[in-house]
């Protein structure tokens, strides 16, 4: 760690003491404890989202902000999100034919080209690349911390209504107030893909990204379900904004989705239902076992690299499962939809 980083962490520590906020002290102590019990990092791989730089926002200085969560598995997933965002802006947010033409022209390009940076109607959009990882220790993946926020209503039924904390999140380095967060950033700045399991092109691009995008921004923490399988942890479902919603995702999967997907026998269904009910009754449990399977609620972190021109876009070595395609009906400049073209 350089002297500059040491001074920054010391300054943040002094500021934390000066604020005299017991809640912040507890959160920081929780982070220190987690770093000791889960000292290693396990990287899952890249995730993608959508950011916008909108200079017409007069209420704040121009800065890159997340428009959609950084949770997509491929760059094209995020490009499709941009396609839909612009299409619906043309449909619902303007009555000006010229504005609609510009929006639809951008949509047409996204239907043909894998574009990662696009300026439309004064706003600049970029597909953002991040890396997803979890802390690990002798006992496995890090579970939710006692200080991680939970929803006010921890019901097990109904729909999840907690919005993603990614939305409108500013991708601006240097705004951290936690010494432990800054220490994590120091460790992550030098991270690159290494080892024979990564192709040479992937390793080379990772090295270049460390130089071209030297800053790191840590995104809001998420929570997920992981299954211990063949000696390693594998994700089972989407990233959720709170621990309880990850627990509810696991319960719904055990009772409703997995029995249908994997064609459980009646006896298997019953064992999964009983395990799910026991898990629910425990309230804030983070692990459940069924037969020889082990599932855990884990704490998921993500980082985005930042360079002089903003957040890192997808790398050439990032893999897409499919290419650009037409998603929505054709729209005229007057807003008329044509479903047969």
């Amino acid at each position: 760690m350089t002297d500059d980083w040491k001074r920054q962490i010391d300054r943040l520590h002094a500021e934390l003491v000066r604020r005299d906020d017991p809640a912040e002290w507890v959160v920081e102590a929780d982070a220190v404890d987690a770093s000791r019990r889960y000292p290693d990092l396990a990287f899952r791989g890249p995730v993608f989202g959508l950011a916008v730089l909108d200079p017409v926002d007069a209420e704040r200085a121009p800065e890159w902000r997340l428009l959609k969560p950084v949770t997509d598995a491929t760059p094209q997933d995020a490009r499709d999100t941009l396609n839909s965002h612009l299409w619906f802006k043309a449909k619902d947010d303007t009555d000006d034919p010229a504005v609609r033409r510009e929006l639809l022209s951008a949509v047409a390009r996204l239907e043909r080209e894998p574009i990662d940076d696009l300026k439309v109607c004064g706003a600049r959009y970029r597909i953002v690349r991040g890396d997803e990882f979890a802390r690990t220790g002798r006992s496995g993946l890090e579970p939710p911390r006692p200080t991680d926020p939970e929803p006010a209503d921890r019901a097990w039924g109904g729909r999840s209504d907690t919005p993603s904390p990614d939305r409108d999140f500013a991708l601006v380095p240097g705004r951290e107030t936690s010494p432990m967060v800054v220490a994590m950033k120091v460790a992550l700045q030098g991270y690159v893909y290494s080892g024979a399991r990564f192709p040479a092109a992937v390793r080379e691009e990772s090295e270049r990204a460390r130089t071209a995008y030297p800053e790191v921004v840590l995104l809001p923490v998420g929570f997920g379900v992981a299954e211990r399988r063949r000696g390693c942890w594998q994700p089972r479902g989407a990233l959720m904004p709170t621990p309880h919603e990850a627990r509810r995702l696991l319960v719904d999967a055990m009772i409703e989705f997995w029995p249908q997907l994997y064609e459980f026998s009646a006896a298997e269904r019953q064992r999964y239902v009983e395990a799910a009910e026991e898990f629910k009754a425990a309230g804030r449990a983070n692990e459940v076992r069924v037969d020889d399977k082990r599932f855990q609620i884990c704490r998921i972190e993500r980082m985005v690299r930042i360079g002089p021109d903003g957040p890192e876009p997808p790398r050439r070595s990032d893999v897409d499962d499919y290419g650009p395609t037409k998603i929505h009906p054709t729209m005229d400049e007057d807003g008329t939809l044509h479903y047969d073209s």
Side-chain angles (χ1 to χ4, degrees), residues 144 156 243 247 250 278-288 297:
W156 292 98
R247 297 183 189 108
L250 175 57
E278 183 177 343
F279 180 74
K280 287 167 59 176
R284 296 195 180 191
N286 291 316
E287 184 175 306
V288 60
I297 306 302

Side-chain angles (χ1 to χ4, degrees), residues 216-233:
V216 166
V217 169
L218 291 174
L219 301 184
V221 172
F223 304 88
V225 177
E227 178 185 354
R228 186 70 174 177
R229 184 187 298 178
R230 292 189 291 274
C232 62
W233 289 99

Side-chain angles (χ1 to χ4, degrees), residues 48 72-80 116 127 314-315 318-320:
F48 304 90
D72 288 331
T74 70
Q76 190 58 47
D77 289 332
R79 295 181 197 116
D80 289 348
D116 294 325
I127 306 305
R315 300 171 188 171
D318 290 325
V319 177
D320 278 314

